[in-house]
Amino acid sequence: MARRSVQSLLVATFSLFLATFSTATYAQHDTAQHEATAEVSSHEKKEGEFNVTETILEHLKDDHSWHLWGHTSLPLPVILYSDKGLEVFSSANLVDEHHAPAVYNGNYAYKTIEGKIRVVNPDGAVNTELSAKVWDFSITKNVASLLLTVTILLLIFLSVASAYRKTGVKTAPKGLQSLMEPIILFVRDEVAKPNIGHRYAKYMPFLLTVFFLILINNFLGLVPFFPGGANVSGNIAFTMTLAVFVFLLVNFSGNKTYWEHIFWMPGMHWSMKLFLAPIELVGIFTKPISLMIRLFANITAGHILVLSLVCLIFIFKTVYASVVAVPFVVFISVIELLVAFLQAYIFTMLAAMYIGMATEEHHHEGDHEPHYNETDLEKVHH
Amino acid sequence: MLLEINPLVLPDIGLVFWSTIAFLVLLFVLGKFAWKPIMKAINEREKGIEDALAKADRVKAEMVALQSENEAMLAKAREERAILLKEAKETSDKILAEAKDKAKAEYDRIVADAQLAITQQKNAALTDVKNQVGALVVDVAEKVLRRELANKADQENYISELTKDVKLN
């Protein structure tokens, strides 16, 4: 009950932030419209009209500064690599005193356009040719949030590990240790062991790291204000990275049977083998891709849902809409808490399953043989 | 193209780069300093609990065995006691019977001896009586014979007098 009321409070605060922030975006767009008319064509909207899609996308997307409240944002370091070398500067340089995108003259003239840093010509137009040469390694909002997650994970688990070292194995776990141990055991007993089998111990560090990284990112994403609110696990770049790691791990630990089942399915007619090989080959890639999309889509969908419900207040332009919107937001947020855990679990479980499939030893080779052999044998016996 | 329209499905190289670094750092640091000791500790504890349980089971089995052994010993002791008691009773009965027999034999012997003595004495007495009667008869006959020669009346008085004196013992 207490948690719920705290959450409603959080949601209420978040709506307040959103209210102030959305007015800020109006202001930004207004000035942008006056300054760069080239941009206006892409934002076809009347002055003062509330654009739900844009507001929501704004929150889902990565940003070069971390919005705190009202007109206050935390500037983050921008790291760019181009043919003129590496350069690092504060993202505060990319906005003017009215919080509108401004041109910063570094190695090139940079300007933030739709959240991305682009090279602009002196006349204000985007120079696509030069923009393609600039690699953006900035500490964006998502990267900062990710680094925070890494810090949290290190703090939690190094302290838990030291607790085990200090108290030994004979005493019952205490505090944080007792909170984490069941989850670690859950990953071991429900995820690793049933899917991988007796070789599970080798993959435990990977699975635990993936699980807790996704879990903490999901939870942080649900916190509506600084230092949460970034959409790391709902960002395709993050899920893609994790999926690539799963892909590499699965295929590097794949044994002979695994590859045999992909390229030359045993127990089939040769024509069937030829037919199955490309399908199985595609399957190698679709598995991690499904992991990538599943996590991205689930977390993003949750964020969109919560944001849409909050946006109801601004669509109806009355504070009374919050009577309906806020309870729904609370409800969805509680479900999102479950989804946060569930998605971390599903990602880890599927990863474990793929590893299990790649390392499985087939003792039942005979099962793949055509069955007429068996019936023939039976006839002989009879 | 849809990919160009929606920026959500376009991965940024920056985040990919930092995610990779973050993940590798986590995997390395946590793997070495957290997961390894934690999993080791958990496994050790589980093994410890398993061992303790197995040990408890073993001790329990031992206890049961000990108990049954004790019971067996007790039963055996009881049996032995019963046997001893029985034997003792038998022995005592035997002793008693023997004593009784012996006593009876002795008694019989004594009785026999007594009877023999009595018979002997009776015979001796009878012999004695016979002798005395004989002597008396001879004596009386002698005196009668002597008196007869004098007086017949006196003779008879005398005889009655004599007979008065005769005491048959």
Side-chain angles (χ1 to χ4, degrees), chain B residues 96-138:
Chain B
L96 213 67
E98 266 174 17
K100 240 182 211 169
D101 287 351
K102 215 170 161 187
K104 194 158 186 296
E106 188 76 359
Y107 162 78
D108 287 347
R109 197 180 55 83
I110 289 169
V111 169
D113 280 1
Q115 269 174 348
L116 197 69
I118 287 167
T119 322
Q120 276 174 356
Q121 294 219 341
K122 195 175 89 183
N123 290 346
L126 278 176
T127 319
D128 201 28
V129 169
K130 277 177 195 166
N131 288 344
Q132 276 187 12
V133 169
L136 211 63
V137 169
V138 170

Side-chain angles (χ1 to χ4, degrees), chain A residues 116 136-137 161 181 188 209, chain B residues 12 14 18 35 43 45-46:
Chain A
K116 302 218 192 276
D136 186 357
F137 293 110
E181 189 175 310
R188 191 193 66 175
T209 310
Chain B
D12 296 315
W18 288 109
W35 305 137
N43 284 339
R45 179 171 340 116
E46 277 178 356

Side-chain angles (χ1 to χ4, degrees), chain A residues 116 136-139 143 146 153 158 161 164 169 181 185 188 206 208-210 212-213 235-236 241 245 296, chain B residues 8 11-12 14-20 22-24 26-27 29 33-35 38-39 41-46:
Chain A
K116 302 218 192 276
D136 186 357
F137 293 110
S138 304
I139 306 292
V143 174
L146 183 63
L153 280 174
L158 292 182
Y164 278 105
V169 294
E181 189 175 310
L185 287 180
R188 191 193 66 175
F206 179 82
L208 283 170
T209 310
V210 167
F212 283 105
L213 183 61
N235 189 300
I236 197 122
T241 313
F245 276 112
F296 156 75
Chain B
L8 281 180
D12 296 315
L15 191 55
V16 170
F17 172 76
W18 288 109
S19 302
T20 309
F23 185 77
L24 287 178
L26 275 182
L27 191 62
V29 176
F33 300 109
W35 305 137
I38 289 174
M39 293 312 292
I42 288 176
N43 284 339
E44 258 172 42
R45 179 171 340 116
E46 277 178 356

Side-chain angles (χ1 to χ4, degrees), chain B residues 77-95:
Chain B
R78 228 176 269 137
E79 208 175 300
E80 260 172 28
R81 191 187 64 177
I83 290 169
L84 274 179
L85 276 174
K86 204 175 149 208
E87 270 176 9
K89 196 160 182 287
E90 269 169 14
T91 317
S92 77
D93 282 351
K94 207 169 127 195
I95 289 170

